[in-house]
Amino acid sequence: MEHSFHSSQWTWKEFDIKNDEQAKELAKKHHTCKKWIEDVKTNKTNSLEMYTGTPGEEVLWGSLVYLQHADEKNNRHVFHFYLTRNEMVTANLDLSKLDFANVKAMKEKMHHSETSVEGFLVLIGEIMTHFLIEIDKFEVKLRDLLWEIKERNNTSILDRAANTDHELLIWKNLIIPMMETRMAVEEAFGDEVMEGKQYKRTKRRIERSRTLIREYEEEIDALLDLENVVSTHRGNEIMKTLTVITTLFTPVMALGAIWGMNFKHMPELEWKYGYLFSGTLIGACTFALYVFLKKKGWMGDILAVRSKKSFFK
């Protein structure tokens, strides 16, 4: 399918990979187009190449992942593009998969674009608009997580934090190629492209997305650092508690081991008040150990009641 824009000054062709006749026709236009057609059939990830050998005949081509499922590695959608100054060719681009893409408004902007380069930037800008709306939805999930980690801090929350961090990395992985493509447009087609309205708008959308990702990345890092501090403190408290309990029961175990022996001559077995004596001795030793630990400050606040609002309860 072919669309003409700005009084037919430039065209947008939608290339069908399975159409051999269309492929042969495109391959005749430029030696780089033949290479692009070969790449289209096999490439399933981001790529970017350009040709700047002849002034006025610059070409930029490549592939961009414009949709990636957060839980499934291979559940992604890639579109391929071939861009000259007066023609834009795309393959495998299905804008209906973008929930927030306004195709009608996008084509209206393309009609006001003087070159195919500006039209391509309109297309990238529309994809970035979808990204920004999805990132806003991600922000809601992140905000909920920030409060849940305080109200109900457990392993499932830590797992959600890790999944959120992974999702953020996916967004970062989607935006970086968009940023590279924007810089490649400037490199391939010259400084005059930078003066265009669509270039500036798309550039700002990409920068806004990058800024949001960086800020959310710092939030998640701080959240994981907090979780690490809480987990470390709790682990230390558990070890401290177990150490204190083990120490306090040392007299019981030691004296119990002695009087649990089965030697023939053990005078304590004949004592009238031997049981009372042993109980008193064990209690006194245990209390003495408790006083000693308390004075050393090793008891801490492990027996104190925690506030319900505390992270360390």
Side-chain angles (χ1 to χ4, degrees):
M1 185 180 294
E2 182 174 330
H3 311 277
S4 297
F5 298 96
H6 200 74
S7 302
S8 300
Q9 289 186 18
W10 66 274
T11 59
W12 173 17
K13 293 181 179 179
E14 297 181 65
F15 173 56
D16 183 1
I17 297 176
K18 299 178 181 179
N19 190 329
D20 293 333
E21 292 299 321
Q22 192 179 15
K24 290 178 182 178
E25 182 183 345
L26 285 172
K28 295 177 182 177
K29 294 193 173 187
H30 199 279
H31 66 88
T32 57
C33 196
K34 184 176 180 180
K35 183 179 186 307
W36 175 74
I37 292 171
E38 293 173 356
D39 292 342
V40 162
K41 296 177 181 179
T42 58
N43 191 27
K44 296 182 180 180
T45 187
N46 296 297
S47 67
L48 190 63
E49 295 184 62
M50 68 175 70
Y51 171 80
T52 56
T54 306
E57 295 185 9
E58 297 88 352
V59 183
L60 180 69
W61 71 92
S63 305
L64 284 170
V65 177
Y66 65 102
L67 275 178
Q68 172 67 63
H69 195 279
D71 298 320
E72 299 176 28
K73 176 183 176 181
N74 295 321
N75 189 353
R76 69 164 73 96
H77 295 278
V78 183
F79 86 93
H80 315 277
F81 63 91
Y82 184 86
L83 185 65
T84 66
R85 289 185 178 273
N86 56 14
E87 186 177 49
M88 176 174 69
V89 183
T90 60
N92 283 354
L93 178 61
D94 186 357
L95 292 173
S96 65
K97 294 185 180 299
L98 301 178
D99 297 335
F100 306 102
N102 190 334
V103 179
K104 184 178 179 181
M106 181 189 73
K107 289 184 176 180
E108 183 63 30
K109 291 176 186 175
M110 286 182 173
H111 275 294
H112 292 87
S113 300
E114 296 182 3
T115 66
S116 58
V117 178
E118 286 189 11
F120 177 69
L121 290 168
V122 170
L123 174 61
I124 296 299
E126 195 64 32
I127 295 173
M128 290 307 305
T129 298
H130 172 81
F131 284 3
L132 284 165
I133 295 174
E134 289 290 345
I135 290 172
D136 286 342
K137 292 163 66 175
F138 171 82
E139 180 186 8
V140 174
K141 291 194 291 185
L142 179 58
R143 184 176 63 244
D144 292 340
L145 181 62
L146 291 175
W147 285 103
E148 285 186 34
I149 201 169
K150 179 175 176 62
E151 297 167 358
R152 186 168 53 88
N153 190 14
N154 52 33
T155 305
S156 65
I157 296 298
L158 181 60
D159 187 56
R160 280 185 57 193
N163 286 330
T164 303
D165 195 22
H166 177 258
E167 186 177 347
L168 185 66
L169 287 174
I170 291 174
W171 280 115
K172 194 171 184 179
N173 189 251
L174 288 171
I175 291 170
I176 289 175
M178 294 294 181
M179 178 182 65
E180 183 189 8
T181 302
R182 189 269 302 169
M183 291 189 292
V185 167
E186 176 186 336
E187 180 183 348
F189 298 104
D191 293 342
E192 65 271 16
V193 175
M194 299 171 59
E195 302 302 321
K197 181 179 179 180
Q198 299 305 331
Y199 175 87
K200 293 178 180 179
R201 178 175 291 154
T202 300
K203 179 182 178 181
R204 291 189 182 109
R205 286 178 184 172
I206 294 173
E207 288 178 348
R208 181 153 62 101
S209 300
R210 288 186 64 208
T211 300
L212 289 172
I213 293 300
R214 280 198 300 266
E215 294 300 321
Y216 295 151
E217 196 171 29
E218 289 181 7
E219 282 190 36
I220 292 179
D221 287 344
L223 185 148
L224 292 175
D225 287 343
L226 173 62
E227 180 64 24
N228 185 49
V229 169
V230 173
S231 299
T232 301
H233 176 79
R234 287 180 175 176
N236 290 339
E237 286 287 284
I238 291 170
M239 293 302 300
K240 186 177 178 182
T241 302
L242 293 175
T243 302
V244 169
I245 291 174
T246 302
T247 304
L248 290 176
F249 276 88
T250 298
V252 178
M253 293 184 289
L255 295 174
I258 293 173
W259 286 316
M261 296 177 182
N262 294 316
F263 293 115
K264 183 176 181 180
H265 299 289
M266 292 186 70
E268 297 93 335
L269 298 177
E270 303 297 329
W271 290 358
K272 181 178 180 180
Y273 298 105
Y275 184 78
L276 178 63
F277 171 76
S278 65
T280 303
L281 180 61
I282 290 172
C285 290
T286 302
F287 180 74
L289 272 175
Y290 176 81
V291 172
F292 174 77
L293 294 174
K294 190 75 173 176
K295 285 185 176 181
K296 285 287 187 179
W298 295 344
M299 296 296 289
D301 63 349
I302 59 174
L303 301 179
V305 177
R306 307 299 200 275
S307 166
K308 291 184 178 181
K309 295 183 179 180
S310 173
F311 278 105
F312 304 99
K313 58 187 177 181

